[in-house]
Amino acid sequence: MVPIFFEAEEGRPLTGNSDRYVQMLQDFVRPELQARQLNNIRFQQDGAMPHTALQSRAVLQRLFPNRLFSHSGDLTWQTRLPDLTVFKNP
């Protein structure tokens, strides 16, 4: 996992939005997938608004056809799946 930060040229932070997310997918994720020959991996993301915008979902569905875990994605992911969610007893 690689953290991605959106910054203006002068270094000030920018808010993540669907346009920036799509640009990051096209400029970074797509070339990395191609360079590493990762043609059949699944992609999971949360339901943040930039991730679920129509233009974002369209790009993701092209990059990960039938392999997208996301809100309105191809694959459903059960919330609070016991083997993936840490539960703390009081």
Side-chain angles (χ1 to χ4, degrees):
M1 180 172 12
V2 177
I4 302 290
F5 298 95
F6 299 105
E7 295 181 342
E9 287 184 21
E10 60 275 3
R12 69 179 167 82
L14 296 171
T15 302
N17 61 28
S18 59
D19 290 332
R20 290 186 185 106
Y21 187 60
V22 166
Q23 183 177 0
M24 183 267 308
L25 291 169
Q26 294 173 336
D27 295 348
F28 178 75
V29 174
R30 179 181 295 152
E32 284 296 312
L33 292 171
Q34 292 170 344
R36 297 170 189 243
Q37 298 180 354
L38 299 173
N39 301 319
N40 200 25
I41 65 169
R42 292 178 176 93
F43 187 80
Q44 178 185 357
Q45 64 181 8
D46 61 18
M49 291 195 66
H51 301 169
T52 60
L54 291 176
Q55 65 177 350
S56 301
R57 289 193 334 231
V59 170
L60 286 165
Q61 288 171 340
R62 282 194 304 271
L63 287 173
F64 305 99
N66 300 313
R67 300 185 317 268
L68 177 61
F69 289 101
S70 180
H71 177 70
S72 300
D74 305 311
L75 305 170
T76 57
W77 193 265
Q78 181 181 353
T79 58
R80 298 197 184 274
L81 193 62
D83 59 338
L84 297 176
T85 304
V86 177
F87 290 99
K88 295 182 180 179
N89 291 326

